Amino acid sequence: YNEYKSYLRCMNHGKLLVIALGLMLALLTSRNLLPNLRRALFSDMPSVTYLGQEQAQNIDIELFNEYKFSIDQLMELAGLAVAHAAARSYPTKGQVLVICGPGNNGGDGLVAARHLALFGYKPSIVYPKQPQKHPFLPLVHQAKGMGIEVNTELPADLKQYSFILDAIFGFSFKGEVRAPFDVILPRLISTTTPIASVDVPSGWDVEAGNEAGIQPDVLISLTAPKLCAKNFTGRKHWLGGRFVPPSLEHKYNLQLPNYPDTEQVVLL
């Protein structure tokens, strides 16, 4: 009889533990704390290098000058990785809004839009400031050739999109946000449509982040995460840009995760 009572007590304790764990999981989910919990639980895993702004710029310069990558090559590889990460994060193939800035980050977005169309999504592009030079002109031409609409103004209704791809500003961003993006970013901050940011959430300080800025659902870092990514609290953080030569990785003492098989992206 005593053994039976002990058994019942153990069963009750087990039920209480399951209920407590369920409540804790619900609380963490509602407050978007699961990514931070995962990082804390796996903090003993090999660390990933986070780049400061100057270091990220130096690596880019070496890729161009020392390793003779062309800007077209790097944009194509980066944009393909972005499209893969976005498709993995949002498997429902609906309408997608890709917002591109005037620099290389915007070029990555143009490439990603083209690949998303090939993956079966329905992207449209907002490209307010379009540089009239290579490689941006051919990228716009290619997007239009794929039947992708390219506009200069943000649509009135952002709820029609499955997600928004933020490819406005990258790791070269400094200073104040200027027109027309000073109007666009507040709308991205207030929208309920999930946002996937390319490399750096637009408007964030590359190293310090921005608590009052865009809070993306997904972050797709390229080459290596930037320091601001430590402040990312969204659902998924991907790393793409599988083009870093081993000698460059060694020179900058980069600690990067292994990409599985032939994957273009890896989940951090």
Side-chain angles (χ1 to χ4, degrees), residues 99-102 126-130 151-154 168-169 176-188:
I99 308 176
C100 298
V126 172
Y127 199 17
K129 297 181 71 173
Q130 302 181 18
N151 299 304
T152 57
E153 295 184 0
L154 208 60
I168 301 174
F169 300 129
E176 297 296 320
V177 177
R178 295 188 292 271
F181 302 105
D182 58 343
V183 176
I184 292 174
L185 289 189
R187 290 195 59 196
L188 295 185

Side-chain angles (χ1 to χ4, degrees), residues 68-143:
K68 305 305 178 185
F69 280 97
S70 68
I71 191 170
D72 308 65
Q73 282 181 292
L74 292 184
M75 278 187 183
E76 192 66 31
L77 290 168
L80 177 61
V82 167
H84 272 270
R88 294 274 294 276
S89 301
Y90 307 102
T92 302
K93 297 179 179 179
Q95 294 186 76
V96 180
L97 183 64
V98 182
I99 308 176
C100 298
N104 293 351
N105 200 259
D108 297 342
L110 293 172
V111 173
R114 172 161 40 84
H115 285 290
L116 285 169
L118 291 168
F119 294 166
Y121 293 80
K122 298 175 182 177
S124 56
I125 295 170
V126 172
Y127 199 17
K129 297 181 71 173
Q130 302 181 18
Q132 300 300 300
K133 61 181 182 179
H134 185 86
F136 305 102
L137 285 172
L139 290 177
V140 171
H141 181 80
Q142 291 159 14

Side-chain angles (χ1 to χ4, degrees), residues 105-244:
N105 200 259
D108 297 342
L110 293 172
V111 173
R114 172 161 40 84
H115 285 290
L116 285 169
L118 291 168
F119 294 166
Y121 293 80
K122 298 175 182 177
S124 56
I125 295 170
V126 172
Y127 199 17
K129 297 181 71 173
Q130 302 181 18
Q132 300 300 300
K133 61 181 182 179
H134 185 86
F136 305 102
L137 285 172
L139 290 177
V140 171
H141 181 80
Q142 291 159 14
K144 289 180 177 178
M146 292 286 297
I148 300 171
E149 190 175 331
V150 180
N151 299 304
T152 57
E153 295 184 0
L154 208 60
D157 179 20
L158 298 181
K159 294 181 180 179
Q160 62 183 300
Y161 301 102
S162 300
F163 67 94
I164 296 169
L165 188 65
D166 157 34
I168 301 174
F169 300 129
F171 63 75
S172 297
F173 174 76
K174 285 183 179 179
E176 297 296 320
V177 177
R178 295 188 292 271
F181 302 105
D182 58 343
V183 176
I184 292 174
L185 289 189
R187 290 195 59 196
L188 295 185
I189 291 170
S190 62
T191 186
T192 56
T193 301
I195 295 173
S197 289
V198 178
D199 206 22
V200 176
S202 293
W204 280 29
D205 181 280
V206 179
E207 298 183 359
N210 184 354
E211 290 183 0
I214 294 172
Q215 299 302 319
D217 175 51
V218 171
L219 177 60
I220 307 165
S221 293
L222 296 171
T223 307
K226 312 310 176 282
L227 282 171
C228 65
K230 292 186 176 183
N231 298 305
F232 171 68
T233 59
R235 186 169 55 92
K236 289 181 182 292
H237 183 189
W238 298 93
L239 178 63
R242 195 175 182 177
F243 47 69
V244 180

